[in-house]
Amino acid sequence: MSSLSRHADNGELVYWPKHLLPEALPSARVFVYGYDTKVRHTLGAPVSKNNVYDIASDFLRTLEAERRSQPSRPLMFIAHSLGGIVVKELLRQSYGLQDHHSHLHQIYKATAAVMFFGTPHGGADPRGFREHVVEQVARAAGLTVNEQIVSTLLPTSERLRELRDEFGLMARREGWIIYSFQEQYGVQYLGGKKASHSFYCNPVKRDTSTSLFAIKINSIFLTGSYSVATPELTGNQRQLILDAMWFRAIDARYATIKAAHAKTCKWLLQRSEYQDWLNVAKISTHHGLFWIKGKPGSGKSTLLKFAVQSVRKAMKSAVVICFFFNARGEDLEKSTLGMYRSLLSQLLRALPDIQEILDHFIPAQDADTIDWHIDRLRSLFAAAIQRLGERHLICFIDALDESDEDQIRDLVVFLEELGRPATSSAINFRVCLSSRHYPHISISKAIEMTLEGQEGHDQDISKFLSSELKAGNGTVFEAIKDEILKRASGVFLWVALVVQILNKEYDHGRVHSLRRRLKEIPDGLDKLFEDILTRDNAHFEELILCLQWILYAERPLKREELYYAICLAQMKRH
C-alpha cells in the first residue's frame, strides 16, 4: 500500500514491491495498491476528494476480490506513509464486518503481519507547517491540497487517535507481527524548513533494497506459524541448485594461505574479545559480530585461518563456514556474490534439512538454469539463519578490503540486520570479519580488535625470528632481532621478507655484514617491495614486462602462461 511511487532513470514507474520483491520471494504473490496519491497537485482540483475511510473501503473490496480464490492465504501489508493509516482503517473496517459480510472479514482473519515505513502514527505534520504549505506553496505554484487527507495526519485528528488505539488492540488480540521503520532524513522545503518524507520512496540501490525487507518477511513466513504452500523440489533438483552455487575457485584463497607458524596465533584464543564473541551470555552486547583489523601484511589471513581450524577442532557440533576474499582472483573470488554462493553452499551441504528453503525461492523449472543475483542469495542466507534452531553457526569472512567498498558496506548492513533478530530469537549465529583499517565503516554493535600492538602478536613475530633467522647466537643475534622487532610495526610480512634477505647474506658467509645489510633495508612494505624489485638492474626490462602482464591480464595467469607470454614478447623484440 503506497502513497508515493518512484521513477526509474528512464522515466518508467517502478514499484519496488512489484518489481524487486518477487525476485527475492518468488513463492509470494505481490499486489501493489495505490491511489492518486500526492497531497498536492498542479492547478485544477485536489487529487482526491475521498477521505481515508473511503480509500480504505475501496482498498478492502479490491483486495478481497483479488484473493477470492484463496481467501485464507496469509496476508502481509507493507505500507508507506499515509498508506499505513489506510491499512489500519481497512483492518478496522474488515473486523467490524464479521457478522454481515464474512467475505470481507476474511481479510482481517488472514492478516499475519504489517510493516510500516515512515507512517505518521502520531501525526506527521504540525498544523503550522501544513498551513504554510497550503497558503504559500499552493499560491506560488498553483497547487491545491486535499484537506481531508492532510487533516488525518495532524496530531489533533480524532480519527488518527481512534485508529492508533483500535489498531493496537487488534494487533495484540490477533498476535500480528508488526514492524515500524521511522525516517531519519528530511527533505528541504520552503527555504530550508524540513518536512517528513519517506526515504523508502527515493531511488534505492537494487542490491540493498529488498534483502533487508526479506529478512523480516522470512522470519514471519518461514519460521512462524504462517505457511505458504510452495511446490517442493526433488532431491535431484536441490542437488542441481547446490552444484550451480559452486564455482571453481570457491576456496582457492583459503587453500593457498600458509598454516600458522608453530606455536603462533594461540594467544587469540585467550583474548577477552575472542572469548566474549563466543560467549552466549554476552551476545546482546555485540550481536555476534567480531571484527579484526590490521595493517597490510600483519598476518590477518593467517590468524583467521588458524581461528577457523581452532573452532572446528574445539566446537565439533558447530557448523563452521568461511570465505576469504582474493583481490588477485577471479570476479567471484573478490565479490560478495561469490561470497554468498560459497557460504550458502557450505551451509546447505552441512545441514541438508535446511535445503528446503530452496523450495521457497527457486521455482522447480529454474533448478537447472539459475541466474544468481545478490537479492536472491541474501534472502536464502537470511532464511537459512532463521532455520538454524539450536544449532551453532560460526562464519569467518577474511579480507573485506579486497572487495568493492560499496559491496562491503552493503554486507556489513546486512550482517547487522541478521544479528538483531538472531539475538532476540536466541539463534546461535556468529560472524568474524577481518580487514585492513579501511574501508571505514561504522557498525553499531560489534567487538573490534586491532592486530598490531597486541602483545601476543608481537610475541609471535619474536618466535618466528628465533626459529627462522640465521644470525648465529649471542649478543649479535639478539641485537639484530630487537632491531627487526622495533622496525616491524606489527607487519609480519615485512619481517618474513627481511628474514629471507638476511638469511641469504648469512648463507654466503657474510655474517659480519648482517647489521649493515639490515640498515639498508627500508621500513614499510611499499618501500621494501620497491627495493626488491629495482635492485636487479641487469634484468629491468624483463621485470617491467612481467609486471605489465600480471597487471593488465584479464584474469590471473598461470605460471606457464606467464612464462610463454614473456618468451613470446622477447622473441618479437629480437
Side-chain angles (χ1 to χ4, degrees):
M1 178 69 192
S2 174
S3 64
L4 291 171
S5 58
R6 68 176 176 88
H7 290 263
D9 292 339
N10 60 5
E12 179 187 358
L13 277 174
V14 174
Y15 297 95
W16 62 261
K18 181 177 181 180
H19 297 105
L20 302 183
L21 273 184
E23 295 180 2
L25 301 166
S27 62
R29 293 194 305 172
V30 180
F31 299 122
V32 176
Y33 184 84
Y35 47 94
D36 197 4
T37 59
K38 296 185 179 178
V39 178
R40 57 187 187 179
H41 201 293
T42 303
L43 305 176
V47 177
S48 173
K49 293 185 178 181
N50 293 333
N51 57 28
V52 170
Y53 182 93
D54 296 327
I55 294 171
S57 180
D58 290 343
F59 183 21
L60 174 61
R61 283 157 175 77
T62 302
L63 182 60
E64 187 279 327
E66 290 287 346
R67 291 168 44 86
R68 195 163 294 166
S69 61
Q70 294 179 293
S72 60
R73 186 183 177 100
L75 177 63
M76 178 178 184
F77 290 97
I78 301 176
H80 160 253
S81 189
L82 178 57
I85 298 175
V86 174
V87 168
K88 291 180 181 180
E89 175 62 29
L90 174 148
L91 290 169
R92 191 193 68 81
Q93 293 182 23
S94 178
Y95 170 72
L97 295 171
Q98 56 185 333
D99 295 330
H100 306 292
H101 299 281
S102 59
H103 61 295
L104 294 176
H105 179 68
Q106 188 60 41
I107 297 296
Y108 172 86
K109 297 300 294 182
T111 297
V114 184
M115 189 179 289
F116 296 103
F117 290 114
T119 294
H121 301 288
D125 294 320
R127 181 177 298 275
F129 178 75
R130 175 195 145 230
E131 292 175 352
H132 191 59
V133 173
V134 174
E135 294 175 7
Q136 295 193 27
V137 178
R139 291 176 182 175
L143 305 179
T144 58
V145 177
N146 185 328
E147 292 288 334
Q148 288 177 301
I149 293 179
V150 176
S151 293
T152 64
L153 296 180
L154 298 177
T156 57
S157 168
E158 186 66 29
R159 171 53 60 201
L160 188 58
R161 289 199 299 269
E162 290 176 0
L163 280 177
R164 181 178 56 206
D165 296 339
E166 292 181 31
F167 179 79
L169 290 173
M170 290 188 295
R172 286 189 291 272
R173 181 168 54 242
E174 298 298 328
W176 293 337
I177 300 173
I178 308 296
Y179 289 104
S180 184
F181 299 89
Q182 297 304 315
E183 304 182 8
Q184 297 177 345
Y185 303 93
V187 176
Q188 295 293 105
Y189 276 82
L190 306 173
K193 293 189 178 182
K194 286 187 177 181
S196 179
H197 181 75
S198 177
F199 169 74
Y200 297 94
C201 284
N202 293 328
V204 290
K205 290 196 298 184
R206 179 186 184 86
D207 57 356
T208 59
S209 59
T210 59
S211 60
L212 301 185
F213 308 144
I215 295 173
K216 306 300 183 187
I217 297 171
N218 286 333
S219 67
I220 295 168
F221 288 112
L222 296 184
T223 64
S225 59
Y226 308 100
S227 61
V228 179
T230 54
E232 187 172 312
L233 298 172
T234 65
N236 288 336
Q237 287 172 328
R238 289 178 180 173
Q239 187 60 49
L240 284 173
I241 294 170
L242 291 178
D243 291 344
M245 280 185 190
W246 186 89
F247 55 94
R248 186 174 60 85
I250 199 165
D251 59 353
R253 175 60 180 150
Y254 178 84
T256 57
I257 295 172
K258 291 183 179 180
H261 193 268
K263 298 181 181 180
T264 62
C265 296
K266 294 182 180 180
W267 60 270
L268 175 66
L269 308 182
Q270 306 305 318
R271 288 295 306 176
S272 60
E273 296 94 334
Y274 179 83
Q275 294 179 349
D276 289 348
W277 171 58
L278 292 176
N279 188 342
V280 175
K282 295 188 176 183
I283 192 170
S284 62
T285 64
H286 53 72
H287 286 185
L289 296 177
F290 180 32
W291 197 334
I292 301 173
K293 297 181 180 180
K295 295 178 181 178
S298 57
K300 300 180 297 296
S301 296
T302 300
L303 185 67
L304 218 68
K305 184 171 184 176
F306 169 81
V308 171
Q309 295 170 338
S310 298
V311 170
R312 283 175 173 163
K313 186 181 299 184
M315 302 175 65
K316 296 186 182 299
S317 62
V319 177
V320 181
I321 58 179
C322 63
F323 184 80
F324 285 55
F325 283 103
N326 182 14
R328 300 176 299 281
E330 301 174 1
D331 287 344
L332 288 175
E333 293 182 78
K334 52 188 175 186
S335 69
T336 53
L337 184 70
M339 181 207 70
Y340 285 119
R341 286 175 60 173
S342 173
L343 296 179
L344 270 170
S345 177
Q346 297 171 62
L347 177 56
L348 295 179
R349 293 176 192 275
L351 300 176
D353 60 294
I354 293 182
Q355 292 178 17
E356 67 182 34
I357 65 171
L358 298 173
D359 305 357
H360 295 273
F361 294 93
I362 301 175
Q365 63 270 20
D366 295 342
D368 56 348
T369 57
I370 300 173
D371 178 24
W372 292 116
H373 52 76
I374 206 78
D375 284 331
R376 173 176 284 175
L377 289 166
R378 275 194 289 214
S379 296
L380 279 168
F381 195 75
I385 299 302
Q386 295 293 333
R387 291 295 182 92
L388 284 175
E390 297 182 356
R391 293 169 291 196
H392 289 253
L393 174 62
I394 303 177
C395 176
F396 293 88
I397 306 175
D398 178 56
L400 301 186
D401 51 278
E402 298 196 27
S403 185
D404 175 77
E405 181 174 340
D406 286 340
Q407 293 185 29
I408 296 304
R409 287 186 178 278
D410 293 341
L411 169 63
V412 171
V413 171
F414 177 72
L415 292 175
E416 284 189 287
E417 283 294 326
L418 277 184
R420 292 189 190 105
T423 301
S424 61
S425 304
I427 295 175
N428 294 303
F429 174 54
R430 305 285 190 282
V431 181
C432 179
L433 308 170
S434 81
S435 71
R436 300 179 183 182
H437 292 290
Y438 58 84
H440 303 289
I441 302 175
S442 299
I443 188 167
S444 58
K445 285 201 175 183
I447 298 174
E448 296 190 34
M449 187 184 78
T450 300
L451 193 53
E452 53 269 13
Q454 296 289 338
E455 181 180 356
H457 182 60
D458 293 339
Q459 290 174 353
D460 282 353
I461 295 177
S462 180
K463 291 175 184 177
F464 176 80
L465 285 170
S466 299
S467 173
E468 300 299 320
L469 179 61
K470 301 174 183 178
N473 297 305
T475 58
V476 174
F477 172 79
E478 291 300 325
I480 292 174
K481 177 181 172 182
D482 289 344
E483 183 174 350
I484 293 174
L485 284 171
K486 183 179 179 180
R487 294 173 58 189
S489 298
V491 181
F492 219 121
L493 181 55
W494 185 88
V495 174
L497 293 172
V498 168
V499 166
Q500 289 183 16
I501 294 170
L502 295 183
N503 282 347
K504 285 184 180 180
E505 295 285 333
Y506 185 86
D507 289 341
H508 286 87
R510 295 190 285 269
V511 179
H512 299 290
S513 64
L514 289 180
R515 297 196 69 175
R516 176 187 58 79
R517 181 70 184 95
L518 178 58
K519 291 183 181 299
E520 294 175 353
I521 297 173
D523 293 341
L525 279 177
D526 289 345
K527 291 182 178 179
L528 178 55
F529 282 137
E530 182 180 351
D531 181 72
I532 293 171
L533 292 172
T534 58
R535 181 168 288 271
D536 185 6
N537 293 324
H539 302 92
F540 197 72
E541 288 188 3
E542 287 84 350
L543 169 65
I544 295 298
L545 182 62
C546 181
L547 290 176
Q548 287 175 334
W549 272 105
I550 293 172
L551 290 173
Y552 299 122
E554 290 187 0
R555 59 170 176 79
L557 298 174
K558 298 178 181 178
R559 285 177 297 179
E560 296 84 358
E561 292 175 327
L562 181 59
Y563 171 78
Y564 286 116
I566 294 173
C567 289
L568 181 61
Q570 289 177 330
M571 289 173 58
K572 287 185 176 180
R573 287 182 180 179
H574 299 295

mmCIF file of all heavy atoms in Angstrom, residues 424-456:
data_model
loop_
_atom_site.group_PDB
_atom_site.id
_atom_site.type_symbol
_atom_site.label_atom_id
_atom_site.label_comp_id
_atom_site.label_asym_id
_atom_site.label_seq_id
_atom_site.Cartn_x
_atom_site.Cartn_y
_atom_site.Cartn_z
ATOM 1 N N SER A 424 17.596 -11.661 19.356
ATOM 2 C CA SER A 424 16.325 -11.700 20.077
ATOM 3 C C SER A 424 15.675 -13.073 20.020
ATOM 4 O O SER A 424 14.883 -13.427 20.894
ATOM 5 C CB SER A 424 15.369 -10.641 19.502
ATOM 6 O OG SER A 424 15.110 -10.901 18.127
ATOM 7 N N SER A 425 15.989 -13.849 19.004
ATOM 8 C CA SER A 425 15.401 -15.185 18.854
ATOM 9 C C SER A 425 16.289 -16.283 19.412
ATOM 10 O O SER A 425 16.004 -17.462 19.233
ATOM 11 C CB SER A 425 15.143 -15.472 17.362
ATOM 12 O OG SER A 425 14.324 -14.479 16.788
ATOM 13 N N ALA A 426 17.398 -15.888 20.077
ATOM 14 C CA ALA A 426 18.340 -16.842 20.675
ATOM 15 C C ALA A 426 18.923 -17.784 19.640
ATOM 16 O O ALA A 426 19.181 -18.955 19.915
ATOM 17 C CB ALA A 426 17.663 -17.630 21.798
ATOM 18 N N ILE A 427 19.147 -17.274 18.425
ATOM 19 C CA ILE A 427 19.791 -18.066 17.371
ATOM 20 C C ILE A 427 21.296 -17.933 17.526
ATOM 21 O O ILE A 427 21.824 -16.828 17.668
ATOM 22 C CB ILE A 427 19.338 -17.596 15.979
ATOM 23 C CG1 ILE A 427 17.845 -17.873 15.801
ATOM 24 C CG2 ILE A 427 20.144 -18.268 14.880
ATOM 25 C CD1 ILE A 427 17.267 -17.344 14.508
ATOM 26 N N ASN A 428 22.007 -19.048 17.520
ATOM 27 C CA ASN A 428 23.454 -19.060 17.734
ATOM 28 C C ASN A 428 24.191 -18.816 16.420
ATOM 29 O O ASN A 428 24.631 -19.746 15.743
ATOM 30 C CB ASN A 428 23.879 -20.397 18.349
ATOM 31 C CG ASN A 428 23.333 -20.572 19.743
ATOM 32 O OD1 ASN A 428 23.577 -19.746 20.610
ATOM 33 N ND2 ASN A 428 22.577 -21.643 19.960
ATOM 34 N N PHE A 429 24.309 -17.549 16.060
ATOM 35 C CA PHE A 429 24.935 -17.152 14.803
ATOM 36 C C PHE A 429 26.062 -16.164 15.104
ATOM 37 O O PHE A 429 25.843 -15.136 15.729
ATOM 38 C CB PHE A 429 23.889 -16.517 13.880
ATOM 39 C CG PHE A 429 24.442 -15.940 12.607
ATOM 40 C CD1 PHE A 429 25.217 -16.709 11.759
ATOM 41 C CD2 PHE A 429 24.178 -14.624 12.255
ATOM 42 C CE1 PHE A 429 25.729 -16.177 10.583
ATOM 43 C CE2 PHE A 429 24.663 -14.081 11.082
ATOM 44 C CZ PHE A 429 25.446 -14.861 10.245
ATOM 45 N N ARG A 430 27.286 -16.498 14.696
ATOM 46 C CA ARG A 430 28.454 -15.648 14.925
ATOM 47 C C ARG A 430 29.158 -15.370 13.600
ATOM 48 O O ARG A 430 29.223 -16.244 12.738
ATOM 49 C CB ARG A 430 29.459 -16.323 15.865
ATOM 50 C CG ARG A 430 28.920 -16.771 17.195
ATOM 51 C CD ARG A 430 28.699 -15.598 18.135
ATOM 52 N NE ARG A 430 28.399 -16.048 19.485
ATOM 53 C CZ ARG A 430 27.238 -16.499 19.884
ATOM 54 N NH1 ARG A 430 26.239 -16.595 19.030
ATOM 55 N NH2 ARG A 430 27.023 -16.880 21.140
ATOM 56 N N VAL A 431 29.695 -14.161 13.484
ATOM 57 C CA VAL A 431 30.467 -13.792 12.290
ATOM 58 C C VAL A 431 31.756 -13.120 12.742
ATOM 59 O O VAL A 431 31.732 -12.175 13.533
ATOM 60 C CB VAL A 431 29.693 -12.829 11.367
ATOM 61 C CG1 VAL A 431 30.530 -12.502 10.135
ATOM 62 C CG2 VAL A 431 28.367 -13.434 10.938
ATOM 63 N N CYS A 432 32.876 -13.598 12.223
ATOM 64 C CA CYS A 432 34.178 -12.979 12.460
ATOM 65 C C CYS A 432 34.671 -12.395 11.141
ATOM 66 O O CYS A 432 34.800 -13.117 10.144
ATOM 67 C CB CYS A 432 35.176 -13.988 13.005
ATOM 68 S SG CYS A 432 36.824 -13.291 13.289
ATOM 69 N N LEU A 433 34.941 -11.094 11.141
ATOM 70 C CA LEU A 433 35.414 -10.401 9.952
ATOM 71 C C LEU A 433 36.873 -9.999 10.145
ATOM 72 O O LEU A 433 37.319 -9.779 11.272
ATOM 73 C CB LEU A 433 34.586 -9.141 9.695
ATOM 74 C CG LEU A 433 33.067 -9.278 9.660
ATOM 75 C CD1 LEU A 433 32.418 -7.900 9.630
ATOM 76 C CD2 LEU A 433 32.630 -10.098 8.450
ATOM 77 N N SER A 434 37.587 -9.859 9.034
ATOM 78 C CA SER A 434 38.924 -9.273 9.121
ATOM 79 C C SER A 434 39.151 -8.374 7.920
ATOM 80 O O SER A 434 38.633 -8.621 6.825
ATOM 81 C CB SER A 434 40.010 -10.359 9.183
ATOM 82 O OG SER A 434 40.308 -10.854 7.896
ATOM 83 N N SER A 435 39.904 -7.306 8.145
ATOM 84 C CA SER A 435 40.197 -6.366 7.057
ATOM 85 C C SER A 435 41.351 -5.474 7.483
ATOM 86 O O SER A 435 41.777 -5.481 8.639
ATOM 87 C CB SER A 435 38.971 -5.507 6.746
ATOM 88 O OG SER A 435 38.737 -4.579 7.779
ATOM 89 N N ARG A 436 41.834 -4.689 6.538
ATOM 90 C CA ARG A 436 42.760 -3.623 6.884
ATOM 91 C C ARG A 436 41.958 -2.548 7.631
ATOM 92 O O ARG A 436 40.791 -2.733 7.912
ATOM 93 C CB ARG A 436 43.399 -3.053 5.615
ATOM 94 C CG ARG A 436 44.190 -4.102 4.833
ATOM 95 C CD ARG A 436 44.798 -3.515 3.572
ATOM 96 N NE ARG A 436 45.487 -4.552 2.794
ATOM 97 C CZ ARG A 436 46.143 -4.332 1.661
ATOM 98 N NH1 ARG A 436 46.179 -3.098 1.151
ATOM 99 N NH2 ARG A 436 46.752 -5.329 1.022
ATOM 100 N N HIS A 437 42.583 -1.437 7.904
ATOM 101 C CA HIS A 437 41.892 -0.378 8.644
ATOM 102 C C HIS A 437 40.930 0.401 7.753
ATOM 103 O O HIS A 437 40.340 1.388 8.196
ATOM 104 C CB HIS A 437 42.912 0.557 9.286
ATOM 105 C CG HIS A 437 43.700 -0.099 10.377
ATOM 106 N ND1 HIS A 437 43.151 -0.444 11.594
ATOM 107 C CD2 HIS A 437 44.990 -0.526 10.432
ATOM 108 C CE1 HIS A 437 44.065 -1.033 12.358
ATOM 109 N NE2 HIS A 437 45.185 -1.093 11.675
ATOM 110 N N TYR A 438 40.807 -0.008 6.526
ATOM 111 C CA TYR A 438 39.793 0.546 5.631
ATOM 112 C C TYR A 438 39.141 -0.638 4.931
ATOM 113 O O TYR A 438 39.694 -1.739 4.901
ATOM 114 C CB TYR A 438 40.423 1.520 4.615
ATOM 115 C CG TYR A 438 41.510 0.917 3.746
ATOM 116 C CD1 TYR A 438 41.204 0.215 2.578
ATOM 117 C CD2 TYR A 438 42.852 1.032 4.102
ATOM 118 C CE1 TYR A 438 42.184 -0.356 1.797
ATOM 119 C CE2 TYR A 438 43.845 0.470 3.327
ATOM 120 C CZ TYR A 438 43.520 -0.216 2.180
ATOM 121 O OH TYR A 438 44.505 -0.785 1.412
ATOM 122 N N PRO A 439 37.948 -0.510 4.390
ATOM 123 C CA PRO A 439 37.137 0.703 4.337
ATOM 124 C C PRO A 439 36.642 1.113 5.730
ATOM 125 O O PRO A 439 36.457 0.284 6.605
ATOM 126 C CB PRO A 439 35.965 0.310 3.442
ATOM 127 C CG PRO A 439 35.858 -1.176 3.586
ATOM 128 C CD PRO A 439 37.261 -1.662 3.763
ATOM 129 N N HIS A 440 36.458 2.429 5.897
ATOM 130 C CA HIS A 440 35.994 2.954 7.180
ATOM 131 C C HIS A 440 34.472 2.820 7.241
ATOM 132 O O HIS A 440 33.745 3.612 6.658
ATOM 133 C CB HIS A 440 36.428 4.412 7.329
ATOM 134 C CG HIS A 440 37.915 4.608 7.219
ATOM 135 N ND1 HIS A 440 38.796 4.189 8.200
ATOM 136 C CD2 HIS A 440 38.679 5.157 6.241
ATOM 137 C CE1 HIS A 440 40.026 4.478 7.838
ATOM 138 N NE2 HIS A 440 39.984 5.066 6.650
ATOM 139 N N ILE A 441 34.009 1.819 7.948
ATOM 140 C CA ILE A 441 32.574 1.527 8.036
ATOM 141 C C ILE A 441 32.179 1.481 9.500
ATOM 142 O O ILE A 441 32.767 0.737 10.292
ATOM 143 C CB ILE A 441 32.235 0.184 7.354
ATOM 144 C CG1 ILE A 441 32.660 0.208 5.875
ATOM 145 C CG2 ILE A 441 30.753 -0.118 7.479
ATOM 146 C CD1 ILE A 441 32.471 -1.119 5.167
ATOM 147 N N SER A 442 31.195 2.272 9.851
ATOM 148 C CA SER A 442 30.712 2.274 11.230
ATOM 149 C C SER A 442 29.776 1.093 11.448
ATOM 150 O O SER A 442 29.019 0.715 10.556
ATOM 151 C CB SER A 442 29.964 3.577 11.534
ATOM 152 O OG SER A 442 30.821 4.691 11.371
ATOM 153 N N ILE A 443 29.840 0.536 12.628
ATOM 154 C CA ILE A 443 28.971 -0.585 12.966
ATOM 155 C C ILE A 443 28.500 -0.373 14.401
ATOM 156 O O ILE A 443 29.296 -0.042 15.290
ATOM 157 C CB ILE A 443 29.722 -1.927 12.791
ATOM 158 C CG1 ILE A 443 28.770 -3.107 12.946
ATOM 159 C CG2 ILE A 443 30.919 -2.022 13.699
ATOM 160 C CD1 ILE A 443 29.378 -4.425 12.476
ATOM 161 N N SER A 444 27.206 -0.516 14.608
ATOM 162 C CA SER A 444 26.629 -0.124 15.891
ATOM 163 C C SER A 444 27.013 -1.070 17.021
ATOM 164 O O SER A 444 27.382 -0.635 18.107
ATOM 165 C CB SER A 444 25.106 -0.027 15.783
ATOM 166 O OG SER A 444 24.561 -1.276 15.363
ATOM 167 N N LYS A 445 26.939 -2.377 16.775
ATOM 168 C CA LYS A 445 27.259 -3.340 17.829
ATOM 169 C C LYS A 445 28.178 -4.413 17.277
ATOM 170 O O LYS A 445 27.773 -5.217 16.429
ATOM 171 C CB LYS A 445 25.983 -3.973 18.391
ATOM 172 C CG LYS A 445 25.188 -3.046 19.302
ATOM 173 C CD LYS A 445 24.262 -3.824 20.211
ATOM 174 C CE LYS A 445 23.569 -2.897 21.205
ATOM 175 N NZ LYS A 445 22.721 -3.649 22.149
ATOM 176 N N ALA A 446 29.401 -4.426 17.780
ATOM 177 C CA ALA A 446 30.379 -5.435 17.373
ATOM 178 C C ALA A 446 31.576 -5.323 18.302
ATOM 179 O O ALA A 446 31.821 -4.282 18.914
ATOM 180 C CB ALA A 446 30.805 -5.235 15.929
ATOM 181 N N ILE A 447 32.323 -6.400 18.419
ATOM 182 C CA ILE A 447 33.608 -6.380 19.114
ATOM 183 C C ILE A 447 34.674 -6.114 18.061
ATOM 184 O O ILE A 447 34.713 -6.781 17.022
ATOM 185 C CB ILE A 447 33.877 -7.709 19.823
ATOM 186 C CG1 ILE A 447 32.814 -7.966 20.893
ATOM 187 C CG2 ILE A 447 35.260 -7.721 20.443
ATOM 188 C CD1 ILE A 447 32.924 -9.336 21.532
ATOM 189 N N GLU A 448 35.531 -5.145 18.318
ATOM 190 C CA GLU A 448 36.611 -4.833 17.377
ATOM 191 C C GLU A 448 37.955 -5.018 18.060
ATOM 192 O O GLU A 448 38.118 -4.703 19.235
ATOM 193 C CB GLU A 448 36.465 -3.404 16.845
ATOM 194 C CG GLU A 448 35.205 -3.187 16.019
ATOM 195 C CD GLU A 448 35.186 -1.857 15.299
ATOM 196 O OE1 GLU A 448 36.272 -1.390 14.878
ATOM 197 O OE2 GLU A 448 34.105 -1.257 15.167
ATOM 198 N N MET A 449 38.927 -5.521 17.288
ATOM 199 C CA MET A 449 40.271 -5.737 17.822
ATOM 200 C C MET A 449 41.300 -5.345 16.767
ATOM 201 O O MET A 449 41.181 -5.736 15.600
ATOM 202 C CB MET A 449 40.469 -7.204 18.219
ATOM 203 C CG MET A 449 41.785 -7.482 18.929
ATOM 204 S SD MET A 449 42.033 -9.242 19.286
ATOM 205 C CE MET A 449 42.530 -9.841 17.662
ATOM 206 N N THR A 450 42.270 -4.560 17.159
ATOM 207 C CA THR A 450 43.359 -4.165 16.263
ATOM 208 C C THR A 450 44.541 -5.094 16.474
ATOM 209 O O THR A 450 44.991 -5.298 17.614
ATOM 210 C CB THR A 450 43.778 -2.706 16.527
ATOM 211 O OG1 THR A 450 42.655 -1.852 16.302
ATOM 212 C CG2 THR A 450 44.907 -2.299 15.605
ATOM 213 N N LEU A 451 45.059 -5.647 15.387
ATOM 214 C CA LEU A 451 46.069 -6.698 15.493
ATOM 215 C C LEU A 451 47.413 -6.161 15.986
ATOM 216 O O LEU A 451 47.995 -6.697 16.930
ATOM 217 C CB LEU A 451 46.240 -7.373 14.127
ATOM 218 C CG LEU A 451 47.015 -8.692 14.116
ATOM 219 C CD1 LEU A 451 46.438 -9.677 15.109
ATOM 220 C CD2 LEU A 451 46.982 -9.292 12.704
ATOM 221 N N GLU A 452 47.917 -5.104 15.322
ATOM 222 C CA GLU A 452 49.207 -4.576 15.753
ATOM 223 C C GLU A 452 49.069 -3.960 17.153
ATOM 224 O O GLU A 452 48.063 -3.321 17.476
ATOM 225 C CB GLU A 452 49.756 -3.540 14.767
ATOM 226 C CG GLU A 452 48.823 -2.403 14.433
ATOM 227 C CD GLU A 452 47.961 -2.683 13.227
ATOM 228 O OE1 GLU A 452 47.901 -3.843 12.776
ATOM 229 O OE2 GLU A 452 47.343 -1.723 12.732
ATOM 230 N N GLY A 453 50.089 -4.145 17.932
ATOM 231 C CA GLY A 453 50.030 -3.672 19.314
ATOM 232 C C GLY A 453 49.590 -4.735 20.295
ATOM 233 O O GLY A 453 49.745 -4.561 21.508
ATOM 234 N N GLN A 454 49.043 -5.842 19.799
ATOM 235 C CA GLN A 454 48.664 -6.947 20.675
ATOM 236 C C GLN A 454 49.931 -7.667 21.150
ATOM 237 O O GLN A 454 50.785 -8.032 20.347
ATOM 238 C CB GLN A 454 47.759 -7.935 19.939
ATOM 239 C CG GLN A 454 46.422 -7.376 19.514
ATOM 240 C CD GLN A 454 45.503 -7.130 20.691
ATOM 241 O OE1 GLN A 454 45.663 -7.716 21.759
ATOM 242 N NE2 GLN A 454 44.535 -6.234 20.498
ATOM 243 N N GLU A 455 50.035 -7.865 22.432
ATOM 244 C CA GLU A 455 51.232 -8.494 22.996
ATOM 245 C C GLU A 455 51.469 -9.874 22.378
ATOM 246 O O GLU A 455 52.600 -10.236 22.044
ATOM 247 C CB GLU A 455 51.096 -8.605 24.514
ATOM 248 C CG GLU A 455 52.309 -9.216 25.192
ATOM 249 C CD GLU A 455 52.146 -9.316 26.698
ATOM 250 O OE1 GLU A 455 51.108 -8.828 27.215
ATOM 251 O OE2 GLU A 455 53.034 -9.875 27.363
ATOM 252 N N GLY A 456 50.406 -10.628 22.229
ATOM 253 C CA GLY A 456 50.553 -11.965 21.645
ATOM 254 C C GLY A 456 51.047 -11.917 20.212
ATOM 255 O O GLY A 456 51.845 -12.775 19.788
#
